[in-house]
Amino acid sequence: QSALTQPASVSGSPGQSITISCTGTSSDVGGYNYVSWYQQHPGKAPKFMIFDVSNRPSGVSNRFSGSKSGNTASLTISGLQAEDEAFYYCSSYTGYNWVFGGGTKLTVL
Amino acid sequence: QVQLVQSGAEVKRPGASVKVSCKASGYTFTSQNMHWVRQAPGQGPEWMGIINPSGGSPTYEQKLQGRVTVTRDTSTSTVYMELSSLTSEDTAVYYCARDSGRHSFDHWGQGTLVIVSS
């Protein structure tokens, strides 16, 4: 059982926006602004998408954005594209280790 | 460009040990910490440990303490992860991942599948 809770699946049509939630506790998500998000296509390594809750690494589309409220972080993808279909994982630093969510399968209809 | 190249897949018997390597290139090896993360089939990633390639003691996930050892060889820019007393629950893809400097993982190796089966 993963430390951070994500919905198992979300879906949206091309061009729409979706949001994936990531719920933790005051010891991880709520206690630090070190939430990050990763995209993973089947059989591939995760790809770095968001760090420090809402910052995008260079090269990541501005269609991806992150936010946090209390113990819940969120990833929003706007203008959905077919290539966005993948698994998405959140992660948080806890002060002494790192924890991940169980992952959310995004389906682009 | 940053590259992390890992060793190949392994099949091990229960009770055995496995050692996975991760060779870094494209940046100064000693400038960034390196993590090990594993992902069991159909599961989310699980953090295992971190090492500072410049030196100092690695830090491990508490549940793996005593079974996992992370080392580095600065002469070859390679990090190693050894896991002992393997059980079927250790069957997973094992990744090395570079720390971004912001408590996140900015570059990942291609993954090494470790299967534990009798």
Side-chain angles (χ1 to χ4, degrees), chain A residues 2 34 36 38 40 44-48 51-52 89 91 93 96-98 100-103, chain B residues 35 37 39 43-47 50 59 61 95 99-100 102-106 108-110:
Chain A
S2 300
Y34 291 128
S36 52
Y38 304 87
Q40 187 177 37
K44 300 294 187 181
K47 177 186 175 184
F48 188 41
F51 68 98
D52 289 0
Y89 298 95
S91 177
Y93 180 56
Y96 63 93
N97 70 350
W98 284 258
F100 285 89
Chain B
H35 300 263
V37 176
Q39 188 172 25
Q43 305 294 315
E46 177 187 20
W47 182 78
I50 184 173
T59 299
E61 176 59 59
Y95 294 99
D99 191 276
S100 68
R102 302 298 301 172
H103 297 297
S104 49
F105 315 92
D106 64 356
W108 297 65
Q110 82 275 21

Side-chain angles (χ1 to χ4, degrees), chain B residues 19-22 36 69-73 76 78-82:
Chain B
K19 190 170 186 177
V20 180
S21 67
C22 169
W36 285 92
T69 304
V70 177
T71 57
R72 94 282 190 232
D73 181 347
T76 60
T78 302
V79 177
Y80 300 90
M81 186 284 300
E82 184 169 20

Side-chain angles (χ1 to χ4, degrees), chain A residues 46-66:
Chain A
K47 177 186 175 184
F48 188 41
M49 303 299 287
I50 295 285
F51 68 98
D52 289 0
V53 175
S54 60
N55 291 285
R56 280 186 308 278
S58 62
V60 173
S61 170
N62 59 9
R63 298 187 298 106
F64 293 82
S65 61

Side-chain angles (χ1 to χ4, degrees), chain B residues 14-92:
Chain B
S17 296
V18 67
K19 190 170 186 177
V20 180
S21 67
C22 169
K23 183 173 176 60
S25 62
Y27 72 101
T28 302
F29 178 65
T30 52
S31 67
Q32 313 277 147
N33 292 341
M34 193 75 79
H35 300 263
W36 285 92
V37 176
R38 69 179 179 179
Q39 188 172 25
Q43 305 294 315
E46 177 187 20
W47 182 78
M48 300 179 68
I50 184 173
I51 189 168
N52 180 342
S54 292
S57 298
T59 299
Y60 303 122
E61 176 59 59
Q62 190 171 8
K63 68 176 269 191
L64 296 173
Q65 199 89 25
R67 288 208 300 136
V68 65
T69 304
V70 177
T71 57
R72 94 282 190 232
D73 181 347
T74 55
S75 69
T76 60
S77 299
T78 302
V79 177
Y80 300 90
M81 186 284 300
E82 184 169 20
L83 188 63
S84 62
S85 303
L86 293 169
T87 74
S88 58
E89 295 191 352
D90 296 314
T91 293

